[in-house]
Structures are given as structure tokens and as C-alpha cells.
Amino acid sequence: MTRRRSRVGLTVLIIVVLILGGLGYGVYHLIKKAQPFALGEHCLVTTSDGTLDLDIEQAQIAATIAAVAARRKLPDRALQIAYVTAIQESKLANLPFGDLDSVGVFQQRPSQGWGTVEQLNDPVYATKKFFAALEKVKHYKTLPLHEAAQAVQRSADGSAYAQHEPSAKILAGAFTGRVPKAVHCWYPPADKPVTPQPKEARKQLVRALGDDSSADHGWLIAEWYVSNAQKYGLREVHYGGMSWTAEAGHDGWLKDDAKASGAVRIA
């Protein structure tokens, strides 16, 4: 009788363990499935100079500014000046409004000859106009960042740009690709299936960077694609033996099992 009770007790214990194990397995997978929704959408930028949290639009604009700077073969200093300006003027957002008739990332004014409202709401065009004006500033490469920015913008308080120098340094290191794997973004799956648009993504990259996919710009291109992955429905970005996937975007860049190639691959 005692042995029978022991066997019954053991059987009950095993059943309970199996049920709890099954529940635990189910809960684990529910948590994994819900994780993208709980994390929201965001980008993280990390270099030896520090870490910045950006929303996806800010990352897209930061990547575009870096691409335009690379196309014009501008020094890192010019890129940092653009970043302190864009952060101060719009917080790296493509604003359709502003003080008086100012619009866009750099809050440029159509009435001051920068271009039309439509043109200035195009970050590629606005960035080109900013750099064209900056290149006319004498000794801009050696001026303090805030002074160079003020020489272009002529704002009410030029000293305000200085506070953003640490952030500009981080952004420049990351989005030029000088620091590999520095940018990763994550966001929940779309409500409806999204058709990837790699050709359109490539077209827009070329608008900013030019038709240049050289190894010198490998990580710049990879970070641009990651920043714009949600916009163009990209699922994967591969480069330098590493990969980023939209499904596990929060995990950042992971080692890629596929053989590394000299070109950035997207899907």
C-alpha cells in the first residue's frame, strides 16, 4: 500500500512538473513574441565617446547628413558642425514649421534664399545647402563648432550650439562608419505584411551619398540601411561578417554565419 502511494505521488509530481514546464515554455515564448511591442521603436548609438538614444526619424536624418558629408568629401569637423546645428534647430527632426518661415532640419528660411519650402523639407537638399554655406565660411575647419554654426545660421544666440558638441562627436563617429556596429534600431512588426523595397532604399541612399559603394563607406552604408530599415521594409542588413535583423533589432549587430563580403547586403 505504501509503495502504491509512493508511485501515485511520484506520478502526480511528474505531471505537475510537466505542466509547469509546459506553462513556463509557453510563457517564455509569449514574452519573446511580445518583446518587440514592449520595447517600442528606438535607435541606440554607441561609441567610445558615449551613448545616445534616438528615435528612428532622428537616426534617419543623422545618417543622411553623414552620407551627404561623405559625398562632398568633407572633414569630420564639418559633419560635427552640421550635427550641433541640426540638434539645436530641430532636435534632428524634419519640421514643417518653425520661427517665422523657417522649416526643415536646419530651420532654413525660404525668404532668405535657402530654397522653397518643399525643397527645405527634403533632408538631402537641406543638408547640401547647409554644407555649401559652411564651405564659404573662412577657417571653418579651425573655428569652434558653435562659431562655425553661427556663421552659417546667424541665429539669435549662437552660443547655444556649443552644448551639443559631445552628442555631435558621438554621432559623427557612428554615422560615418568610423566606429563599426555603432548604430542599431528596433521596432514592432507592422500590423500588415510589408513588402521590402531594397531598390528604393538603394535609390535614396544614392541621392545622399552618390553612387559610391566603396569599402571606405561600408559601415556608413550599413548604418544608413539600419536607420532606414523600417521605412523601406528591410528585414536584414549584412556587412563585415556581422548582421542586423529587424526581428531581433534590439540585440544589435550579431556575428553572421554567412561568408563576409566586401559589399553591404540587404533584404
Side-chain angles (χ1 to χ4, degrees), residues 161-220:
Y161 300 112
Q163 64 187 307
H164 305 299
E165 289 189 26
S167 295
K169 192 172 183 180
I170 295 169
L171 293 174
F175 286 99
T176 58
R178 191 172 67 249
V179 180
K181 305 174 291 181
V183 181
H184 67 277
C185 302
W186 60 92
Y187 43 87
D191 294 334
K192 298 179 181 179
V194 175
T195 301
Q197 302 178 66
K199 289 184 179 179
E200 182 62 24
R202 168 69 181 168
K203 177 182 175 182
Q204 295 306 318
L205 171 64
V206 169
R207 278 193 70 231
L209 180 62
D211 194 9
D212 184 351
S213 57
S214 69
D216 291 342
H217 293 149
W219 278 109
L220 181 155

Side-chain angles (χ1 to χ4, degrees), residues 48-69:
S48 60
D49 293 308
T51 299
L52 290 177
D53 291 305
L54 303 179
D55 65 33
I56 290 178
E57 183 191 11
Q58 289 175 316
Q60 290 171 351
I61 289 172
T64 292
I65 293 172
V68 174

Side-chain angles (χ1 to χ4, degrees), residues 76-147:
D76 197 78
R77 190 76 175 172
L79 182 55
Q80 290 186 37
I81 293 166
Y83 281 144
V84 298
T85 305
I87 295 170
Q88 177 61 29
E89 297 293 348
S90 68
K91 292 183 171 59
L92 284 173
N94 191 24
L95 301 178
F97 56 83
D99 182 49
L100 299 176
D101 59 336
S102 301
V103 294
V105 176
F106 296 98
Q107 288 292 279
Q108 294 148 323
R109 298 179 60 188
S111 63
Q112 299 297 314
W114 287 96
T116 66
V117 171
E118 183 179 5
Q119 288 173 324
L120 296 174
N121 274 320
D122 171 9
V124 173
Y125 176 91
T127 302
K128 287 179 179 177
K129 293 295 286 186
F130 177 85
F131 282 135
L134 178 63
E135 289 174 285
K136 295 176 182 176
V137 175
K138 194 174 182 180
H139 306 308
Y140 82 84
K141 295 177 185 178
T142 56
L143 285 174
L145 295 185
H146 68 279
E147 290 186 15

